[in-house]
Amino acid sequence: MTDSEAPPAKAPEGVSGAPALPQPVLEIASGYAFTGPALDLGALLWDGRCLPDVQIRIPLPMLNRHGLVAGATGTGKTKTLQLIAEQLSAQGVPVFLADVKGDVSGISAPGQENDRVRTRAGEVRQEWTPAGFPCEFYALGGMGHGIPVRATITSFGPVLLSKVLQLNQTQEQSLGLIFHYADQKGLELVDLKDLRAVVTFLTSDEGKSELKGIGGLSTATAGVILRSLTAFEAQGMSPFFGEPEFDTSELSRVAGDGRGTVSVLELPAVQDKPQLFSTFLMWLLADLFHDLPEVGDVDKPKLVFFFDEAHLLFNDASKAFLDAITQTVRLIRSKGVGVFFVTQTPKDVPGDVLAQLGNRVQHALRAFTPDDQKALKSTVKTFPNSPYDLEEVLTALGTGEAVVTVLSEKGAPTPVAATRLRAPESLMGPVDPAALDRAVRESPLYGRYAEAVDRESAYEKLTAREAQAASSPAPAAPVESASSRGRGRKADDQDSSVVEQVVGSGVFKSLARSLGTQIGREITRSIFGTARRRR
């Protein structure tokens, strides 16, 4: 019997038996035969069979060319993130993971061998060894298990804050004017009460003229902003803004043994506030972009950032917001940072962003409804031409299987490959909460960020000056009159907030004009309007 007559089911599975393999398989195998360091994803699936000698991989230097991990709920996206993160850490690359559901913390502990793990490892020819990886655990504002992550209002910037407060375009522009004014006057906005004080002042009789030359701030718009701030605080969100502010360079740490640290942001406590955590993730990324130096092409990334539940970032986003995301993703590659967006379908990601995601791991999709079928067809169109019937393959993939295409060492797309993925070597599930809390408290970063600090900022300075003015009688006023005014002030205190007293006074205006402008000059804003003073 000649090779051409041999049925595919009887063909040798190794590349060494190349003459017996179908030509498409040979081409796929050739496309993933990299010579340099690479991450191992799994083995090729072809005609219903797993071919363990045809290994599907991602070149390590291409991990900063960004990527997409997509698929329906329950198809194995989280385990794919874990698999990639483990190998990056092992190769000395720091990783950031957003843990929305609370099941990624297991990456810090060795996995547990069982029949499913042994079967998967045998199918893809994986030498599976249980291993945990160096981790730091964070929590937004300290809500949940983790080292608190906070940002100042000043550094967060108007574009991201508008997204959190759900402001429209006009209100976002007005908030930008408020930030501009605060920057110019050296009024640093550390927390929400600082911002509220400035907004209230700019709509007071004395403050209205401050923004006249650059468009002004309407009372109605200021009212919306103030009400949004109040609602935000009422939901318990104020702990996210303040100091000590998180230094995003912590995400680029390498452990003493040379492995990259895996930074896990624990989000279960705020998973019902998607606009908050998705926007906060974008702040982390924008801050990294603002601070990291240009490095160009590197042998391995400085950091790989996995952006889970990415569709939440783009929902109801303004044009300015989308433009900033696109530009950040386009330019951050030259800083040595790779970004992987994780979502259900490629259509969740705007086209301008999707076009920059060269590495693709697409898990199974469902086609139960007309919308599902439309999403499936759209997904297929985003892949290069392939010998697979991708509509059929994508609906037939099992858990832990995916369609893969990545960038080769030369930067060209590799052939599309249906892949049975390897099993993570760390624990596939959450670690015990007590162990997680212990790891957080034992971290050298805990003492640096655990306790919130309310240092003297705009609000405190203004309040102190107002109090000083209130306690000093007017020079020419009779004693009785001054006393009467003091009693009147105490009565007023009961009916109005301290903020309204402060910002409605001439003290605020004169202080705002006289504060040293050196602080304001040091504030520079990036693509997203985020700010960071040089460390």
Side-chain angles (χ1 to χ4, degrees):
M1 180 181 292
T2 66
D3 289 339
S4 61
E5 294 171 335
K10 301 296 184 181
E13 292 185 359
V15 176
S16 58
L21 292 173
Q23 185 61 31
V25 172
L26 298 179
E27 292 174 357
I28 293 172
S30 174
Y32 291 88
F34 309 128
T35 58
L39 309 187
D40 296 309
L41 292 180
L44 181 70
L45 288 170
W46 183 262
D47 198 22
R49 301 179 62 211
C50 184
L51 307 181
D53 281 339
V54 183
Q55 291 290 309
I56 307 304
R57 313 165 77 210
I58 304 180
L60 186 60
M62 293 295 110
L63 266 295
N64 72 330
R65 299 295 182 93
H66 310 320
L68 176 74
V69 177
T73 301
T75 55
K77 296 191 299 296
T78 301
K79 300 302 175 284
T80 297
L81 304 188
Q82 196 167 338
L83 173 67
I84 296 175
E86 290 177 353
Q87 296 185 63
L88 285 168
S89 174
Q91 302 234 30
V93 178
V95 177
F96 173 86
L97 293 172
D99 186 8
V100 178
K101 297 183 290 293
D103 54 0
V104 179
S105 60
I107 197 170
S108 63
Q112 299 174 348
E113 189 173 10
N114 54 41
D115 289 341
R116 292 180 64 185
V117 169
R118 282 191 292 269
T119 299
R120 177 57 60 95
E123 291 171 343
V124 300
R125 199 165 293 168
Q126 174 187 8
E127 295 181 6
W128 190 89
T129 304
F133 295 82
C135 288
E136 291 285 1
F137 298 97
Y138 300 98
L140 290 185
M143 291 184 66
H145 303 277
I147 298 164
V149 175
R150 304 179 188 88
T152 65
I153 294 290
T154 285
S155 72
F156 205 71
V159 177
L160 294 177
L161 188 59
S162 294
K163 183 75 161 58
V164 170
L165 298 178
Q166 302 181 51
L167 303 181
N168 63 28
Q169 184 177 352
T170 300
Q171 294 153 3
E172 178 181 321
Q173 292 169 347
S174 295
L175 188 61
L177 286 179
I178 294 165
F179 272 77
H180 174 74
Y181 174 80
D183 290 350
Q184 292 299 308
K185 298 299 182 180
L187 295 171
E188 189 176 22
L189 308 174
V190 173
D191 49 28
L192 293 175
K193 65 180 181 293
D194 290 318
L195 178 58
R196 185 184 295 104
V198 174
V199 174
T200 307
F201 166 69
L202 290 173
T203 54
S204 69
D205 291 339
E206 292 188 86
K208 284 179 181 177
S209 62
E210 293 292 313
L211 296 181
K212 268 188 177 179
I214 52 174
L217 176 66
S218 75
T219 303
T221 298
V224 171
I225 294 172
L226 289 172
R227 286 193 295 274
S228 297
L229 288 173
T230 301
F232 188 75
E233 284 186 295
Q235 295 171 27
M237 300 294 101
S238 56
F240 299 112
F241 294 104
E243 291 181 323
E245 184 174 60
F246 183 68
D247 184 344
T248 51
S249 67
E250 310 283 13
L251 303 180
S252 301
R253 296 168 65 229
V254 175
D257 59 6
R259 292 183 296 172
T261 298
V262 181
S263 299
V264 181
L265 183 64
E266 293 290 329
L267 295 172
V270 294
Q271 62 180 306
D272 59 336
K273 300 171 179 64
Q275 284 195 316
L276 172 68
F277 73 70
S278 63
T279 310
F280 227 101
L281 293 181
M282 198 66 232
W283 173 75
L284 292 173
L285 193 59
D287 194 72
L288 284 166
F289 172 79
H290 194 239
D291 278 8
L292 290 174
E294 295 278 343
V295 296
D297 292 327
V298 290
D299 293 335
K300 62 183 181 181
K302 300 296 184 184
L303 171 70
V304 176
F305 193 104
F306 288 93
F307 210 124
D308 204 359
E309 302 291 342
H311 65 282
L312 299 173
L313 180 69
F314 304 111
N315 286 349
D316 302 320
S318 68
K319 185 179 184 302
F321 191 82
L322 292 176
D323 288 346
I325 293 173
T326 302
Q327 194 168 1
T328 300
V329 172
R330 180 181 296 121
L331 299 177
I332 203 169
R333 180 184 70 82
S334 64
K335 308 287 184 96
V337 176
V339 183
F340 275 70
F341 291 96
V342 186
T343 188
Q344 294 201 0
T345 71
K347 72 181 183 65
D348 293 335
V349 181
D352 288 345
V353 176
L354 187 63
Q356 301 175 58
L357 311 183
N359 302 300
R360 301 276 300 281
V361 181
Q362 176 68 58
H363 287 264
L365 291 174
R366 309 303 179 214
F368 300 138
T369 69
D371 285 343
D372 290 341
Q373 293 167 3
K374 185 177 179 180
L376 175 61
K377 291 181 183 295
S378 297
T379 298
V380 169
K381 291 178 181 177
T382 65
F383 280 91
N385 292 332
S386 110
Y388 293 98
D389 181 344
L390 285 180
E391 285 194 34
E392 180 179 342
V393 170
L394 285 172
T395 55
L397 290 171
T399 301
E401 296 176 347
V403 169
V404 174
T405 179
V406 302
L407 294 180
S408 71
E409 292 167 311
K410 295 181 179 179
T414 58
V416 175
T419 305
R420 183 160 292 162
L421 299 168
R422 292 182 167 220
E425 295 183 338
S426 56
L427 183 65
M428 290 188 278
V431 298
D432 180 72
L436 182 56
D437 286 336
R438 185 165 57 251
V440 171
R441 288 193 300 271
E442 292 174 355
S443 168
L445 301 181
Y446 184 74
R448 190 178 307 171
Y449 296 108
E451 293 297 325
V453 176
D454 189 10
R455 69 174 174 85
E456 187 180 46
S457 56
Y459 173 84
E460 285 76 18
K461 290 176 182 177
L462 297 169
T463 303
R465 292 214 173 191
E466 179 67 13
Q468 183 179 3
S471 63
S472 302
V479 174
E480 290 183 1
S481 176
S483 174
S484 175
R485 282 198 300 272
R487 287 193 300 271
R489 183 180 301 281
K490 290 178 182 178
D492 290 341
D493 285 353
Q494 298 173 358
D495 299 324
S496 61
S497 71
V498 174
V499 171
E500 289 170 339
Q501 293 177 51
V502 172
V503 300
S505 71
V507 176
F508 189 110
K509 188 173 182 179
S510 98
L511 178 63
R513 286 174 174 168
S514 64
L515 278 173
T517 57
Q518 181 62 32
I519 295 177
R521 284 197 297 268
E522 290 179 0
I523 295 177
T524 57
R525 295 203 172 272
S526 66
I527 295 170
F528 257 108
T530 56
R532 172 76 72 182
R533 293 197 182 94
R534 300 299 88 195
R535 300 183 179 99

